[in-house]
């Protein structure tokens, strides 16, 4: 376990039609947030989420071509290949309250969203390839 101290807190909104994953990544890189906690609520006009098939060792994707609420989106920032990398999961709610969830990936388009990022200061968590899972883990 790495131990951290709290750094800066970033809070604000994203714009309509932003790609949620790309914008979170841009914020992490531009603000040089090496380690952090991400929390997002809001709504999307469409979404693409991933599910890691543990047997096939690859992500499978689910597309939603309609509006949904971001009931929750939690993630973190750590270092992959020398730069900040966002890993986040998202819970999306349908108009009847049914929820779907998975790994946030590019293709999830913001209708409106409010973002909270807590920067953490300390020895960065570095991602590297893990043979047991074929994932890049801490
Ligand atoms: Zn994930």
């Amino acid at each position: 376990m790495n131990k951290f101290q709290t750094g800066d807190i970033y809070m604000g909104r994203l714009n309509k039609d932003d790609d949620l994953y790309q914008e979170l990544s841009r914020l992490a890189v531009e603000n040089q947030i090496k380690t952090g906690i991400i929390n997002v609520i809001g709504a999307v006009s469409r979404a693409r989420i991933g599910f890691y098939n543990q047997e096939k060792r690859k992500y499978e994707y689910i597309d939603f071509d309609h509006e949904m609420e971001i009931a929750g989106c939690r993630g973190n920032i750590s270092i992959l290949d020398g730069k900040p990398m966002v890993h986040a999961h998202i819970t999306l709610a349908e108009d009847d309250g049914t929820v779907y969830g998975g790994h946030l990936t590019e293709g999830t388009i913001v209708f409106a969203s409010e973002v909270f990022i807590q920067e953490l200061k300390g020895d960065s968590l570095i991602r590297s390839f893990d043979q047991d899972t074929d994932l890049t883990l801490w």
Side-chain angles (χ1 to χ4, degrees):
M1 286 286 159
N2 291 22
K3 190 174 177 183
F4 297 96
Q5 295 76 46
T6 52
D8 292 333
I9 293 171
Y10 298 81
M11 205 164 164
R13 56 166 280 191
L14 300 182
N15 295 317
K16 186 175 180 297
D17 298 330
D18 280 346
D19 183 294
L20 180 56
Y21 185 81
Q22 287 179 3
E23 280 302 295
L24 293 174
S25 298
R26 186 185 63 76
L27 287 167
V29 170
E30 283 189 3
N31 293 292
Q32 299 183 331
I33 304 170
K34 297 185 176 78
T35 313
I37 302 163
I38 295 171
N39 199 333
V40 183
I41 57 172
V44 299
S45 55
R46 53 171 292 124
R48 181 172 172 83
I49 58 177
F51 178 87
Y52 190 67
N53 184 314
Q54 296 176 15
E55 192 179 340
K56 293 180 183 168
R57 300 292 178 94
K58 65 179 186 115
Y59 278 98
E60 294 166 350
Y61 295 98
I62 309 165
D63 287 294
F64 299 93
D65 292 325
H66 55 264
E67 66 197 47
M68 299 173 96
E69 291 286 319
I70 303 172
C73 175
R74 302 157 58 87
N76 57 60
I77 300 164
S78 59
I79 298 295
L80 177 67
D81 297 332
K83 60 179 190 185
M85 180 253 182
V86 169
H87 179 207
H89 287 191
I90 189 166
T91 306
L92 296 162
E94 297 276 18
D95 60 4
D96 65 355
T98 307
V99 295
Y100 293 90
H103 179 92
L104 177 65
T105 190
E106 290 181 16
T108 297
I109 306 303
V110 168
F111 179 74
S113 81
E114 298 171 351
V115 173
F116 168 94
I117 302 174
Q118 166 75 69
E119 182 184 35
L120 298 173
K121 298 285 195 183
D123 291 334
S124 300
L125 290 162
I126 312 285
R127 289 188 181 276
S128 60
F129 181 74
D130 174 67
Q131 281 193 328
D132 291 337
T133 61
D134 279 2
L135 292 166
T136 52
L137 302 178
W138 295 334

